[in-house]
């Protein structure tokens, strides 16, 4: 449950810290149950979406990218729905704003 925030990532780091992970597939996405205007969303749901859709992807990438660079190999694949980007809709503003914040992984300059 990535919506709980930072404490989860400390647990993940402790669990996977000794493994050599070669491929990370970020396929996380949290949305609301039905279309709503941003002003109708509860603040707790907005924070949950930020924690999952932005922080989750960014922190997992940060957690593994340095070791991949040190080894000179590895891949990070970010999968996100394209609908919020290609077909923007005012009832999904809260969701869309967290999806377009997803980091794009580029080759490291040393590769």
């Amino acid at each position: 449950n990535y919506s709980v925030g930072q404490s989860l990532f400390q647990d993940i780091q402790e669990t996977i810290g000794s493994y050599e992970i070669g491929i990370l597939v970020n396929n996380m996405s949290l949305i609301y149950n039905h279309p709503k205007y941003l002003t109708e969303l509860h603040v707790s749901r907005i924070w949950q979406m930020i924690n999952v859709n932005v922080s989750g992807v960014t922190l997992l990438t940060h957690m593994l990218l340095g070791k991949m660079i040190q080894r000179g190999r590895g891949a990070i694949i970010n999968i996100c729905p394209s609908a919020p980007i290609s077909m923007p809709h005012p009832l999904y503003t809260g969701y869309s704003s967290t999806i377009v914040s997803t980091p794009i992984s580029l080759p490291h300059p040393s590769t």
Side-chain angles (χ1 to χ4, degrees):
N1 181 1
Y2 291 95
S3 67
V4 298
Q6 187 174 359
S7 62
L8 176 65
F9 292 95
Q10 293 166 344
D11 293 341
I12 292 172
Q13 181 66 51
E14 291 172 9
T15 303
I16 67 171
S18 62
Y19 293 97
E20 183 178 308
I21 297 176
I23 299 174
L24 169 64
V25 178
N26 284 314
N27 188 20
M28 296 183 278
S29 182
L30 181 67
I31 192 169
Y32 24 101
N33 297 335
H34 59 282
K36 291 182 179 184
Y37 288 105
L38 182 60
T39 55
E40 297 173 341
L41 291 175
H42 193 276
V43 172
S44 65
R45 186 56 166 189
I46 294 171
W47 276 112
Q48 288 174 335
M49 288 189 304
I50 291 169
N51 282 336
V52 172
N53 300 345
V54 180
S55 301
V57 172
T58 304
L59 290 169
L60 283 173
T61 300
H62 179 269
M63 191 181 299
L64 298 175
L65 183 59
K67 290 181 180 181
M68 289 178 178
I69 292 170
Q70 286 175 349
R71 289 191 309 268
R73 64 184 184 279
I76 298 174
I77 302 165
N78 292 326
I79 300 171
C80 78
S82 63
I85 299 166
S86 62
M87 299 179 297
H89 194 283
L91 296 175
Y92 287 108
T93 299
Y95 175 66
S96 297
S97 64
T98 62
I99 290 300
V100 298
S101 299
T102 301
I104 297 172
S105 300
L106 301 173
H108 190 270
S110 67
T111 58

